Amino acid sequence: MTQVLPTIDKDGVLHHPVFKGKTWVYKEQPVKLTFPQCEYGQYHQAGKEIGIGLSTAAAVLFVVVVAVKAVGMMGNDGTEER
């Protein structure tokens, strides 16, 4: 509520939220704060899934690079062709 910008009426009255006791008041009306529902661990699960996918892709790429180099070395037989 501290980030709500104050407004000025057409009569020149400044309206801004005020904290009184345990509640916020705006234009002499109590403000009911509502927050969106969130699932505990939702971001953790999403990060875990992305991490597993990236790790799998990196492992597959590593195996492919090693296999290509191994096949290239087998065809070479230690002799260098120009």
Side-chain angles (χ1 to χ4, degrees):
M1 289 299 297
T2 58
Q3 294 182 357
V4 174
L5 295 175
T7 58
I8 299 177
D9 247 357
K10 63 181 176 181
D11 300 327
V13 178
L14 178 67
H15 295 286
H16 63 284
V18 178
F19 190 70
K20 290 186 180 178
K22 294 184 179 180
T23 60
W24 285 96
V25 178
Y26 184 72
K27 293 185 182 179
E28 303 300 323
Q29 301 275 334
V31 177
K32 288 186 177 181
L33 299 176
T34 56
F35 300 101
Q37 293 295 323
C38 62
E39 182 182 331
Y40 182 75
Q42 179 182 11
Y43 292 114
H44 177 266
Q45 184 64 29
K48 184 178 171 183
E49 291 172 2
I50 291 171
I52 289 172
L54 289 175
S55 297
T56 303
V60 168
L61 182 63
F62 177 74
V63 168
V64 168
V65 167
V66 168
V68 167
K69 286 187 177 186
V71 168
M73 291 176 80
M74 286 174 46
N76 199 359
D77 285 340
T79 59
E80 188 174 323
E81 294 180 20
R82 292 183 190 214

